[in-house]
């Protein structure tokens, strides 16, 4: 079976680095990264990852707007997306989930459990 590919889109370099290292150590996935919504859209289109971890709060192109643009493109619309957010209010989490993303994970996340949380959210075999 081909190695799974995950794209992490977050404007914070520390978050990208921790998530990337966590997933590379605890899974056998290939991890791609992007530092903005615009860059994430380009990487998603060029690389067609198996899933995207997408920060909600980013300058210029935030997570929900990036998600909408992914959905508008037939090439990227089937890629499952998991939002990463520091907003832990139940109402906000429900609003994000209603957009159609696979899951909403809160930051800060436990790096040791990140891979398992993604596997669970996407229904993947571990």
């Amino acid at each position: 079976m081909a190695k799974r590919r995950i794209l992490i889109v977050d404007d914070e370099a520390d978050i990208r680095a921790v998530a990337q290292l966590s997933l590379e150590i605890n899974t056998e996935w290939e991890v791609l990264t992007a530092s903005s919504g615009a860059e994430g859209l380009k990487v998603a289109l060029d690389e067609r990852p198996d899933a995207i971890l997408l920060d909600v709060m980013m300058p210029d192109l935030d997570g929900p707007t990036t998600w909408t643009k992914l959905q508008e493109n037939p090439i990227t619309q089937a890629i499952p997306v998991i939002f990463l957010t520091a907003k832990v209010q139940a109402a906000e989490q429900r609003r994000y989930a209603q957009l159609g993303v696979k899951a909403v994970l809160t930051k800060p996340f436990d790096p040791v459990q990140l891979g398992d949380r993604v596997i669970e959210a996407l229904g993947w075999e571990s």
Side-chain angles (χ1 to χ4, degrees):
M1 182 172 139
K3 184 186 278 193
R4 294 204 188 266
R5 300 169 79 220
I6 304 294
L7 170 59
I8 300 166
V9 182
D10 198 302
D11 61 315
E12 295 181 49
D14 291 348
I15 299 290
R16 285 193 313 274
V18 168
Q20 180 175 9
L21 188 59
S22 167
L23 293 176
E24 288 175 345
I25 289 172
N26 296 309
T27 71
E28 297 198 6
W29 303 337
E30 178 183 349
V31 180
L32 309 166
T33 63
S35 62
S36 68
E39 183 183 0
L41 290 170
K42 180 176 179 356
V43 173
L45 188 59
D46 293 346
E47 301 292 333
R48 303 200 189 152
D50 295 299
I52 299 171
L53 297 180
L54 179 59
D55 183 24
V56 169
M57 305 239 338
M58 294 184 291
D60 301 323
L61 205 57
D62 67 3
T65 304
T66 302
W67 155 256
T68 300
K69 291 186 176 296
L70 287 165
Q71 293 305 294
E72 291 170 350
N73 188 325
I75 295 171
T76 57
Q77 69 185 187
I79 300 171
V81 172
I82 296 172
F83 275 161
L84 293 173
T85 182
K87 293 188 173 194
V88 295
Q89 309 281 332
E92 289 171 327
Q93 295 228 359
R94 277 194 304 277
R95 184 173 66 86
Y96 298 146
Q98 288 172 346
L99 290 174
V101 296
K102 291 293 182 181
V104 179
L105 302 180
T106 56
K107 295 193 288 187
F109 51 82
D110 180 347
V112 175
Q113 294 182 351
L114 182 60
D116 289 338
R117 304 239 1 242
V118 171
I119 288 167
E120 181 182 321
L122 299 176
W124 287 353
E125 297 288 324
S126 51

